Amino acid sequence: MYRRERGMSNSTIAQRLATVQERIAAAARAAGRDPASVRLVAVSKTVDAEAVREALAAGQVAFGENRVQELANKVAALPEGCEWHLIGHLQNNKARTAVRAASWIHSVDSLELLERLDRIAGEEGCRPRILLQVNVTGEEAKSGLAPEAVPAAVEAARACANLDCQGFMTMAEFDADEAALHACFAGLRQLRDAMAARYGMALPELSMGMSGDFEIAIAEGATLVRVGTAIFGSRH
Ligand SMILES: *Cc1c(COP(=O)(O)O)cnc(C)c1O
């Protein structure tokens, strides 16, 4: 599924970032959308702080990490200009570290975690932006709320005074073909539209799309794309 960039080893992070930004803009225009309505979250998991600094120098601001400890380490190692997004599964016992380190949490996937994050954010005096992670296709062994569980989670999120619920996140199945990717991303958008209408909330953000499928996600309404490999190279 990965689209490996030709000549990646010969290009710099700044060049690859520019290429990804051009592809994002082209995909947005092709979908009749404003390119500015799609933000790139550069997924820096497993890459060193130096590479993140290079991306930051090239104008990239939003970075995504999937592990809480690595996120906290990167926050400590890098300048304050970075905007940190936690995109990976969050265990309850790491919620406080996550709240301190991240301004966005994309992976809220249970009522228990939602309530814990709300309490901790109140204690820490902050109001993180959160997204509810949905397992759109109902695939087993994948984290995310089942679609049936989403209404109760939206209702609970609305009641959390210390959390700013901005929308939804999903990950497509690993081996999904193009039709299945469209169906998955369209499914998240439709769920968002239904929840926004039902609960009178804006829920503007849809975090979907990675290196191999972000153009399809943009065609289906993604506002945040999480791209690692196409910027930083393949992970070992
Ligand atoms: C690693 C990761 C990504 C980025 O994947 P690439 O294929 O390297 O672009 C996006 N989202 C999540 C949740 C991830 O863990």
Side-chain angles (χ1 to χ4, degrees):
M1 189 180 90
Y2 278 172
R3 182 201 306 242
R4 299 238 180 257
E5 300 300 320
R6 266 192 301 273
M8 178 175 270
S9 54
N10 298 321
S11 52
T12 65
I13 287 172
Q15 285 164 342
R16 280 174 256 152
L17 260 175
T19 302
V20 168
Q21 289 287 16
E22 280 162 23
R23 286 171 58 191
I24 289 172
R29 276 189 230 100
R33 301 180 54 198
D34 179 357
S37 68
V38 185
R39 287 183 70 208
L40 171 61
V41 177
V43 176
S44 52
K45 66 186 184 198
T46 77
V47 309
D48 58 20
E50 194 43 48
V52 178
R53 230 173 263 122
E54 237 179 284
L56 185 66
Q60 179 62 31
V61 171
F63 294 94
E65 289 285 335
N66 70 334
R67 292 160 143 249
V68 175
Q69 195 49 55
E70 189 179 350
L71 168 68
N73 294 344
K74 289 257 176 55
V75 171
L78 284 147
E80 288 198 353
C82 299
E83 176 187 283
W84 291 102
H85 295 238
L86 180 67
I87 61 173
H89 179 66
L90 175 55
Q91 288 168 283
N92 286 327
N93 63 358
K94 299 203 172 133
R96 189 174 301 275
T97 311
V99 164
R100 286 180 178 163
S103 47
W104 287 77
I105 298 173
H106 292 226
S107 44
V108 180
D109 59 2
S110 74
L111 292 179
E112 193 188 353
L113 180 59
L114 195 60
E115 277 151 22
R116 182 181 288 243
L117 286 170
D118 186 46
R119 174 174 56 75
I120 290 171
E123 290 166 6
E124 298 287 331
C126 60
R127 190 162 181 265
R129 294 173 174 196
I130 63 145
L131 302 173
L132 298 172
Q133 182 175 353
V134 182
N135 182 356
V136 177
T137 50
E139 189 191 1
E140 263 181 61
K142 214 177 73 171
S143 46
L145 294 152
E148 314 82 77
V150 169
V154 172
E155 218 171 346
R158 189 174 56 169
C160 291
N162 306 306
L163 300 178
D164 181 6
C165 183
Q166 288 278 321
F168 299 98
M169 180 272 226
T170 198
M171 283 179 82
E173 279 178 56
F174 177 70
D175 55 0
D177 62 17
E178 208 170 312
L181 290 168
H182 274 284
C184 171
F185 298 143
L188 191 69
R189 184 190 69 237
Q190 287 155 3
L191 188 64
R192 186 276 308 277
D193 292 348
M195 292 301 100
R198 179 159 160 188
Y199 294 105
M201 294 167 75
L203 302 170
E205 304 285 353
L206 291 174
S207 168
M208 52 192 197
M210 319 191 340
S211 291
D213 56 21
F214 68 83
E215 280 133 329
I216 294 172
I218 290 168
E220 297 296 349
T223 61
L224 293 162
V225 291
R226 311 178 308 267
V227 178
T229 314
I231 297 168
F232 295 110
S234 51
R235 293 176 292 271
H236 304 291

